[in-house]
Amino acid sequence: DAGITQSPRHKVTETGTPVTLRCHQTENHRYMYWYRQDPGHGLRLIHYSYGVKDTDKGEVSDGYSVSRSKTEDFLLTLESATSSQTSVYFCAISEGTTNEKLFFGSGTQLSVL
Amino acid sequence: AQSVTQPDIHITVSEGASLELRCNYSYGATPYLFWYVQSPGQGLQLLLKYFSGDTLVQGIKGFEAEFKRSQSSFNLRKPSVHWSDAAEYFCAVGANSNYQLIWGAGTKLIIKP
């Protein structure tokens, strides 16, 4: 299994608070992604990174920011959490672009009350 | 607009029976096609992918899929399912030099003993 660790695995927070999710990889892959998974929607890309300090928006980036200061770490921040951001968040990595095989972390279940 | 449709939200199959999960896509260019599987509480794992060449592709765990350009389909098949195949299956479409995969909503496979 690819070395991808997401933390925390579960989090409950209140509306309006900032939340940071962490993704850590030990594979030295260049590309990292944050997805959210909601019933009936499959996966939707929030942000992705194609190198240290190189990030870009996905299809559902509003209300989220990311940072990648090291190859191995990709942080997702909900600046002011809302109930609509209750979801399961997955980090993924790949050696090449999205058309390469994606390796996924185990997910973070986030509940915003 | 680019889209991926998995028409079946749930499918129930008896153990030992054959399986076909449907995936239809709408995409302007020649697509890159993927099937991923997600076991409960886990991240997604790549089953197989099609980029070019032979339209029948073999994957892990005994799965195969056939690309049919004329039908814009990429259906997943397995001749004989096992109880361990119970999971959710996602079809995805991508393009060269594109970081964003388009995901189907998923099909949940239930295995009857």
Side-chain angles (χ1 to χ4, degrees):
Chain A
D1 290 346
I4 309 171
T5 305
Q6 289 186 235
S7 59
R9 289 297 311 276
H10 303 274
K11 186 168 181 67
V12 180
T13 191
E14 294 184 348
T15 299
T17 60
V19 176
T20 296
L21 308 182
R22 180 179 183 241
C23 178
H24 178 78
Q25 61 145 329
T26 58
E27 305 297 319
N28 201 35
H29 283 359
R30 179 181 175 187
Y31 297 88
M32 299 185 75
Y33 313 83
W34 276 108
Y35 285 93
R36 60 178 290 172
Q37 183 179 34
D38 304 289
H41 288 276
L43 279 86
R44 292 181 289 176
L45 184 65
I46 305 170
H47 282 279
Y48 62 94
S49 170
Y50 46 96
V52 174
K53 298 187 179 179
D54 291 324
T55 65
D56 206 346
K57 297 178 179 180
E59 65 176 307
V60 291
S61 59
D62 287 349
Y64 301 95
S65 62
V66 290
S67 66
R68 191 167 178 201
S69 59
K70 297 184 289 184
T71 298
E72 57 266 35
D73 290 325
F74 193 33
L75 303 180
L76 176 70
T77 297
L78 288 65
E79 292 140 8
S80 178
T82 67
S83 58
S84 65
Q85 293 176 312
T86 293
S87 186
V88 181
Y89 291 85
F90 285 99
C91 174
I93 65 174
S94 67
E95 286 188 89
T97 66
T98 304
N99 300 309
E100 298 289 327
K101 178 178 180 179
L102 288 174
F103 297 92
F104 284 83
S106 297
T108 295
Q109 173 70 61
L110 176 67
S111 298
V112 184
L113 305 179
Chain B
Q2 302 159 6
S3 65
V4 176
T5 302
Q6 293 180 247
D8 304 303
I9 298 174
H10 298 97
I11 280 189
T12 301
V13 176
S14 297
E15 189 169 16
S18 63
L19 170 70
E20 182 170 30
L21 301 182
R22 296 182 290 165
C23 174
N24 294 98
Y25 65 89
S26 173
Y27 203 79
T30 301
Y32 291 61
L33 296 158
F34 305 82
W35 275 100
Y36 281 82
V37 60
Q38 183 180 30
S39 298
Q42 300 298 314
L44 284 75
Q45 180 185 22
L46 180 67
L47 281 176
L48 47 79
K49 62 184 181 182
Y50 171 79
F51 284 179
S52 64
D54 193 345
T55 57
L56 183 64
V57 293
Q58 303 297 319
I60 62 171
K61 302 177 188 269
F63 285 91
E64 67 177 26
E66 186 172 12
F67 170 55
K68 293 185 177 180
R69 185 187 302 275
S70 62
Q71 298 178 19
S72 297
S73 69
F74 188 56
N75 294 349
L76 182 70
R77 301 195 294 249
K78 187 170 184 177
S80 175
V81 297
H82 185 262
W83 65 266
S84 59
D85 293 323
E88 191 156 18
Y89 293 79
F90 292 91
C91 181
V93 173
N96 195 20
S97 301
N98 185 328
Y99 295 105
Q100 303 205 33
L101 288 179
I102 308 298
W103 294 82
T107 297
K108 187 172 183 179
L109 175 62
I110 300 164
I111 306 295
K112 287 193 300 185

